[in-house]
Amino acid sequence: LLELLNLAYTGAPPVTLGTCQNKVLTKRILSSLRIRTPRFRIIKSLDESLKHGLHYPLIVKPAYEDASVGIDNDAVVYNIDSLRKRIKYLFDYLNQPVLLEEFIWGRELNVAVFGDKKPEVLPISEIDFSELPEDLHPIVSFQAKWDPYHIAYHKTIPVCPAPLDDKIRIEAEKIALKCFSALGCRDYARVDMRLSKDNKLFVLEVNPNPD
């Protein structure tokens, strides 16, 4: 609408917003550039075979949402029965394809990029899961982001700058800039990553207009 009205605005253009809203398309673009993302499978109907070839645990997400919509503690599954139940829940609740991803155990990093022609990476932030109750998975769920009455909201606190080895920090910065460019981001974006226990960085999402 802003472009149709010829009004100047900051942030990502429409094509970038649409691309990043499509998690599968984003993952395919990043994979084509050899940027590591968790292994995945897309489920388009309840009738599909669930022989997915992935390693449990999995995290089950709606394919076309952001802001952690559809992601709560039950999104992490460990077997076929809980997977089938979660897929049905998302089809019933959000009526869209479902993304299955291998769950990456490790640290969660938020890598913000700011600028236009010469974007720069801001100090990296880390979500501290250390005070989460044992019955909650270390994820940034919908409740952790938006529900001030939920314990996850108060126990997923960002630490900035994140205490990182220089080698890991530099690699994360390079990956974030590459994602920013590949997806046509502009002015500001946030790249969410997981640092696995064997020190491999996986891009979870690229957020072109982050909160």
Side-chain angles (χ1 to χ4, degrees), residues 109-176:
L109 306 177
N110 300 145
V111 190
V113 181
F114 191 81
D116 182 15
K117 289 181 170 48
K118 293 183 178 180
E120 61 180 282
V121 180
L122 302 182
I124 296 173
S125 180
E126 177 178 2
I127 302 297
D128 181 6
F129 295 118
S130 63
E131 293 189 14
L132 267 181
E134 289 186 4
D135 61 329
L136 294 182
H137 292 109
I139 60 173
V140 185
S141 62
F142 183 85
Q143 291 77 15
K145 285 184 177 178
W146 306 112
D147 184 357
Y149 298 102
H150 196 283
I151 192 169
Y153 183 90
H154 302 279
K155 301 298 182 180
T156 49
I157 305 300
V159 176
C160 186
L164 292 170
D165 178 272
D166 282 347
K167 182 180 178 182
I168 298 294
R169 177 183 57 78
I170 291 168
E171 183 184 359
E173 291 173 350
K174 287 180 178 177
I175 291 172

Side-chain angles (χ1 to χ4, degrees), residues 13 27 74 108 112 207:
K27 288 170 73 70
D74 292 333
E108 181 140 342
N207 297 283

Side-chain angles (χ1 to χ4, degrees), residues 9-211:
Y9 62 94
T10 66
V15 170
T16 297
L17 293 173
T19 299
C20 291
Q21 187 95 9
N22 185 330
K23 291 180 171 65
V24 175
L25 178 57
T26 296
K27 288 170 73 70
R28 286 176 174 156
I29 291 171
L30 297 181
S31 295
S32 75
L33 299 171
R34 298 187 177 181
I35 296 172
R36 191 184 294 111
T37 74
R39 292 177 64 228
F40 73 98
R41 164 92 185 272
I42 187 77
I43 302 293
K44 295 182 178 179
S45 82
L46 287 170
D47 299 325
E48 280 189 51
S49 167
L50 295 183
K51 293 181 179 179
H52 46 71
L54 304 175
H55 297 293
Y56 286 100
L58 306 178
I59 185 164
V60 187
K61 306 175 179 178
Y64 303 132
E65 299 291 338
D66 61 6
S68 292
V69 170
I71 299 175
D72 56 33
N73 198 54
D74 292 333
V76 180
V77 301
Y78 292 84
N79 55 58
I80 189 68
D81 291 335
S82 53
L83 173 60
R84 187 177 287 110
K85 181 179 178 182
R86 189 65 188 181
I87 289 172
K88 184 178 186 308
Y89 167 77
L90 289 179
F91 270 105
D92 290 346
Y93 176 46
L94 294 170
N95 191 30
Q96 62 181 273
V98 172
L99 175 68
L100 314 182
E101 278 186 342
E102 291 186 349
F103 183 71
I104 308 298
W105 292 103
R107 300 166 66 183
E108 181 140 342
L109 306 177
N110 300 145
V111 190
V113 181
F114 191 81
D116 182 15
K117 289 181 170 48
K118 293 183 178 180
E120 61 180 282
V121 180
L122 302 182
I124 296 173
S125 180
E126 177 178 2
I127 302 297
D128 181 6
F129 295 118
S130 63
E131 293 189 14
L132 267 181
E134 289 186 4
D135 61 329
L136 294 182
H137 292 109
I139 60 173
V140 185
S141 62
F142 183 85
Q143 291 77 15
K145 285 184 177 178
W146 306 112
D147 184 357
Y149 298 102
H150 196 283
I151 192 169
Y153 183 90
H154 302 279
K155 301 298 182 180
T156 49
I157 305 300
V159 176
C160 186
L164 292 170
D165 178 272
D166 282 347
K167 182 180 178 182
I168 298 294
R169 177 183 57 78
I170 291 168
E171 183 184 359
E173 291 173 350
K174 287 180 178 177
I175 291 172
L177 288 171
K178 201 170 180 180
C179 292
F180 189 89
S181 172
L183 292 166
C185 297
R186 187 176 65 194
D187 298 333
Y188 37 78
R190 191 188 73 239
V191 183
D192 296 337
M193 304 182 192
R194 280 260 167 162
L195 177 63
S196 68
K197 292 183 177 180
D198 57 353
N199 283 332
K200 292 180 180 178
L201 287 163
F202 292 81
V203 174
L204 302 182
E205 280 194 85
V206 179
N207 297 283
N209 279 11
D211 198 9

